[in-house]
């Protein structure tokens, strides 16, 4: 009992510390310490009996293991996002979409702009930074409450695009290493699920915004909003700006069968070079873009690795092992247990990629030995990883709500959580049903 209290108590503490603004690099080890103490795990290897886990080794194995496996992809993705941002290509694509759809469909414009950039391989954080100024301007013109901007950005970025078949985002590529699949695994089901998630998610977003406006809520600008500066810069043509996104998708498709997850590195490098070719003269500071991309990659992977380290401790606790055993032996479709295991780990770590990296080595061999279709498992794992990963302690949540939109959790998170937690859960359920029928 104390072990279960330690696991979920440490998660609650991690969420609390994150919401209070404590850096995740500090909050995660503190939470890991609580989980280890409550589960009677030794703090140092010198104090552990032979063959037993210890806090220091388990935490650092998780931390460094994740960095060792995914650093180059994080680096290439961050630099690609930065050069797209510096060249104005990301702004050009999002602005073009916004202009074509118009103020009348302000929220839809923002969702589509985020979806196009995300599916094109641009980092989720760069997408949020790039589209936010357009969203701010549109929401002001449409007089929609400002607090719904983070939820709108998230709907287009981390729900139906991030984990769909063919997506170059890392959440769709991690399962390949463990299941020997492709990024297009289960694409037929993925297409249906993505359409349902997008449609229902947008309907729900519109409903929440309409209810708020019926109660008298309107757009209220903050003193630091720079709405009039959105259109000041000369941007490359939107069709040229889309070329790097298409290159990323094309290269990942061409090379994924021959070199697996390494294809994403080649695809992102191709996207970077293409951005330079088509938007070179629009770049404001080429060298700085690469440097900032590298620094951004360090911060992004360190934050994720810190959470993976926390998960590395959690997975050593008897409570977690009992929970995994329970979930993987749930009667009925094995996909249910897989989805639950991934979702819970993603929730514990606050990271969809971190949750996959911890859970898949444990559950993939078990399910493959049972004869579970690896393509179905890949798609269910990907979709379910995008559910509980956006609890309040998630790095993406903190960045989007606090750093970019500068809204409070009280105002912005209810809609944000509804769309990024509940919608993917429903998508996971639908995917399991479809895979079970067909």
């Amino acid at each position: 009992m104390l072990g279960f209290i330690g696991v979920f108590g440490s998660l609650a503490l991690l969420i609390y510390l994150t919401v209070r603004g404590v850096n995740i690099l500090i909050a995660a080890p503190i939470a890991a310490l609580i989980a280890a103490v409550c589960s009677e795990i030794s703090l140092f290897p010198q104090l552990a009996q032979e063959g037993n886990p210890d806090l220091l080794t388990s935490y650092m194995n998780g931390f460094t293991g994740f960095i060792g496996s995914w650093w180059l992809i994080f680096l290439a993705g961050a630099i690609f996002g930065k050069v797209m941002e510096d060249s104005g290509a990301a702004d050009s694509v999002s602005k073009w979409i916004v202009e074509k759809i118009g103020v009348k469909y302000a929220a839809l414009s923002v969702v589509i702009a985020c979806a196009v950039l995300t599916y094109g391989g641009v980092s989720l954080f760069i997408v949020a930074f790039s589209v936010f100024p357009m969203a701010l301007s549109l929401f002001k013109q449409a007089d929609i409450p400002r607090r719904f901007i983070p939820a709108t950005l998230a709907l287009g970025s981390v729900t139906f695009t991030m984990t769909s078949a063919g997506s170059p985002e890392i959440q769709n590529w991690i399962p390949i290493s463990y299941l020997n699949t492709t990024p297009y695994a289960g694409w037929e089901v993925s297409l249906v699920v993505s359409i349902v998630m997008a449609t229902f998610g947008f309907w729900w977003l519109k409903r929440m915004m309409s209810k708020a406006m019926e109660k008298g809520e309107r757009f209220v600008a903050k003193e630091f909003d720079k709405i009039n500066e959105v259109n000041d810069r000369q941007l490359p043509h939107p069709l040229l700006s889309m070329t790097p996104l298409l290159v990323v998708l094309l290269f990942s498709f061409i090379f994924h069968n021959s070199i697996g997850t390494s294809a994403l590195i080649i695809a992102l490098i191709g996207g970077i070079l293409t951005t330079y070719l088509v938007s070179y003269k629009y770049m404001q500071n080429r060298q700085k873009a690469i440097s900032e991309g590298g620094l951004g990659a360090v911060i992004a992977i360190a934050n994720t690795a810190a959470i993976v380290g926390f998960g590395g401790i959690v997975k050593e606790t008897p409570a977690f092992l009992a929970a995994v055993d329970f979930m993987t032996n749930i009667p009925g479709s094995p996909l249910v247990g897989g989805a639950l295991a991934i979702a819970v780990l993603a929730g514990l770590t606050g990271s969809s990629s971190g949750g996959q990296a911890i859970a898949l080595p444990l559950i993939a061999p078990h399910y493959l030995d049972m004869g579970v279709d690896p393509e179905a498992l890949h798609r269910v794992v990907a979709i379910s990883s995008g559910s509980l990963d956006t609890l309040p302690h998630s790095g993406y949540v903190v960045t989007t709500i606090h750093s970019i939109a500068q809204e409070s959790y009280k105002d912005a998170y209810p809609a944000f959580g509804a769309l990024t937690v509940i919608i993917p859960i429903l998508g996971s359920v639908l995917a399991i049903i479809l895979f079970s029928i067909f």
Side-chain angles (χ1 to χ4, degrees), residues 13 30 49 53 68 91 118 146 164 287 292 300 345 373 385:
L13 176 63
I30 293 174
Q49 294 183 4
D91 285 344
T118 301
R146 190 183 185 283
S164 61
Q287 185 175 352
E292 289 185 348
L345 259 295
D373 179 7
S385 75

Side-chain angles (χ1 to χ4, degrees), residues 231-254:
N231 299 315
D232 289 348
R233 181 183 173 189
Q234 184 181 7
L235 301 173
H237 193 279
L239 292 181
L240 280 179
S241 299
M242 289 184 188
T243 306
L245 307 179
L246 296 176
V247 167
V248 171
L249 293 174
L250 180 63
F251 279 23
S252 63
F253 176 77
I254 293 173

Side-chain angles (χ1 to χ4, degrees), residues 171-187:
Q171 291 80 2
N172 183 45
W173 283 71
I174 291 178
I176 295 173
S177 301
Y178 301 97
L179 302 174
N180 196 29
T181 49
T182 76
Y184 301 92
W187 70 266

